[in-house]
Amino acid sequence: MRAYAKLRGPLLPCLLLPLLAAAPAHSPVTVAKAWVRLPAPGGHMAALYLEAANESDTPETVDAVTVSGVASAHVHETFTDPKGMTRMRAAHDVAIPAHQTLSLSPGGFHVMLHGLSTLKPGQTVQGSLRLKSGLTVPFTATTRSAAD
Amino acid sequence: MRMRQVRQVFVTVGVLVAITVGFRMMQKLDTADDVGAISATARVRGITLVKDDGVEFRLDANGDRWMILFFGYASCPDVCPMSLAYLNRELTKAGPAADTFQPVFVSVDPGRDSPEVLKRYVAAFSSRIVGATGSPEMLEKLAKQLGVYYEVERSDDGSRAKDTASDKSDAARTNDTNETNDSSYTIVHSGAFFIVDPRGKLIKTLSPPQAPGALSAIITQIHDQNKV
């Protein structure tokens, strides 16, 4: 009995650890409103849009976005240059500030998808948002026609 | 005394009618000023493109129809689909007034966007929009006339791999997109709509971000001021 009392201190966390690991972890970053604009016939590129909300006190940074069934996925930003021309550039280290929402939307940040297999509007694709903190947030995106 | 008063009333009414009629005539003749012309000199001249049905298309001999030009390319992932979807919504919103206009999607990527490709591409957005493209020389000439800028960007980080436009004006730097057929490049281009009158004169440029209702308001205004 005395031996048990001696071991109880270090043993208790060990016994509880598997229980904690099994509990569903609440991700501080959630993804919503994910959708893919399918390329129009003749087009090659699709674009993924979503909203990533960071509910934590810690800023997060996007490392990469992966989407199943595509050859490549790159975060890009559309912007207007001083001459009024619309340009696109690769967007690295896009931040999701604490308690804010990053919006990837038409005419701004988006994920360029190359080589998306033939899909119809209304279908879904699986993807994940990988953050530099090591967190990975899975999401499901609904496909829409190019004209949406 | 009474006759004098009656004469004064007639003269006043006559002057008011004359002013109103004169103002309406000026409005009709000079639509450009009313919708905010951006340039008194920009004009499309001697431009022949190929429409998506393979037929040649003179941009400055378009009957009595106005044109709404948008420059882009079919492989454009974000701005072009967004803009063509916007164009379709605005044409629908404008109703019958939109029949005064011929919307044209001008591809600055003739190497990849053949008339056949363009036909399928624009049909996904609206049956009213015509796809058109042309030789690099013709596209460059059109770009210069309207002050449009476009160029190929090859690398993923947006840097230019090739710039043949160093000896050209800023207004129309272009690359020969006809010499390659790979899909690894994007094209920098204007995101604006160009409103051109039937004689080829540039009347207005609607730059991004285009608000809902902005283009349909222009369409309606021009239609109302020019209806017979």
Side-chain angles (χ1 to χ4, degrees):
Chain A
M1 194 65 188
R2 193 175 292 168
Y4 168 73
K6 271 187 182 174
L7 282 172
R8 193 174 54 183
L11 265 179
L12 208 56
C14 295
L15 290 169
L16 288 175
L17 208 58
L19 292 174
L20 288 171
H26 176 68
S27 170
V29 175
T30 52
V31 171
K33 298 179 183 174
W35 64 283
V36 172
R37 189 200 296 278
L38 296 171
H44 306 288
M45 300 281 191
L48 165 73
Y49 307 101
L50 55 81
E51 288 185 0
N54 180 5
E55 295 162 10
S56 76
D57 297 329
T58 312
E60 294 280 358
T61 305
V62 176
D63 186 29
V65 178
T66 57
V67 174
S68 60
V70 304
S72 67
H74 297 289
V75 182
H76 276 73
E77 181 183 17
T78 299
F79 68 104
T80 303
D81 73 11
K83 289 181 180 172
M85 295 297 117
T86 301
R87 308 182 78 102
M88 249 184 3
R89 62 186 163 206
H92 303 290
D93 299 335
V94 179
I96 318 176
H99 301 288
Q100 289 192 32
T101 299
L102 168 70
S103 181
L104 275 62
S105 57
F109 286 116
H110 59 277
V111 183
M112 234 166 78
L113 306 178
H114 188 243
L116 189 68
S117 56
T118 309
L119 289 172
K120 290 179 180 173
Q123 293 184 291
T124 56
V125 290
Q126 304 303 315
S128 60
L129 180 69
R130 203 169 71 213
L131 303 170
K132 291 220 162 167
S133 63
L135 197 67
T136 297
V137 188
F139 62 82
T140 301
T142 307
T143 56
R144 297 187 197 171
S145 82
D148 265 6
Chain B
M1 184 67 181
R2 194 184 175 91
M3 272 304 284
R4 196 174 158 190
Q5 281 178 331
V6 170
R7 200 184 308 150
Q8 275 181 341
V9 168
F10 269 108
V11 169
T12 308
V13 170
V15 168
L16 286 173
V17 168
I19 288 171
T20 307
V21 170
F23 182 68
R24 285 294 300 165
M25 285 177 72
M26 281 173 65
Q27 272 189 320
K28 195 167 181 175
L29 289 172
D30 203 5
T31 307
D33 291 338
D34 283 317
V35 295
I38 55 149
S39 169
T41 56
R43 185 180 286 275
V44 175
R45 270 203 189 95
I47 301 294
T48 303
L49 300 179
V50 180
K51 282 196 297 181
D52 55 24
D53 57 3
V55 176
E56 285 195 341
F57 176 43
R58 277 274 309 271
L59 259 65
D60 52 349
N62 198 27
D64 58 354
R65 295 186 84 185
W66 291 61
M67 281 184 298
I68 303 171
L69 302 180
F70 184 83
F71 293 81
Y73 61 110
S75 304
C76 164
D78 184 43
V79 172
C80 299
M82 180 183 75
S83 301
L84 291 181
Y86 172 82
L87 176 58
N88 181 44
R89 286 194 299 273
E90 295 296 299
L91 292 170
T92 304
K93 199 178 286 182
D99 294 340
T100 311
F101 293 81
Q102 175 59 68
V104 184
F105 176 72
V106 181
S107 170
V108 292
D109 191 8
R112 290 184 296 196
D113 295 348
S114 63
E116 296 75 27
V117 167
L118 282 175
K119 192 174 187 64
R120 288 190 296 130
Y121 183 75
V122 295
F125 298 93
S126 168
S127 58
R128 300 201 233 194
I129 304 171
V130 165
T133 191
S135 66
E137 295 77 21
M138 195 58 78
L139 291 169
E140 184 184 326
K141 187 175 168 185
L142 174 60
K144 272 184 181 168
Q145 290 177 354
L146 292 179
V148 179
Y149 171 94
Y150 62 93
E151 70 178 339
V152 171
E153 285 189 335
R154 289 187 187 280
S155 62
D156 188 51
D157 63 3
S159 63
R160 290 176 213 156
K162 173 172 159 294
D163 185 358
T164 60
S166 56
D167 58 345
K168 295 172 185 169
S169 72
D170 278 350
R173 283 188 179 181
T174 61
N175 278 339
D176 185 351
T177 56
N178 208 23
E179 65 182 33
T180 180
N181 203 30
D182 70 85
S183 60
S184 61
Y185 61 88
T186 60
I187 301 177
V188 175
H189 59 93
S190 167
F193 291 99
F194 296 85
I195 316 294
V196 176
D197 80 5
R199 291 164 293 177
K201 185 179 179 188
L202 175 63
I203 299 301
K204 185 165 180 65
T205 299
L206 184 63
S207 298
Q210 291 101 358
L215 184 58
S216 58
I218 293 169
I219 290 170
T220 305
Q221 187 183 3
I222 290 175
H223 172 264
D224 289 351
Q225 289 173 354
N226 288 274
K227 65 185 172 189
V228 181

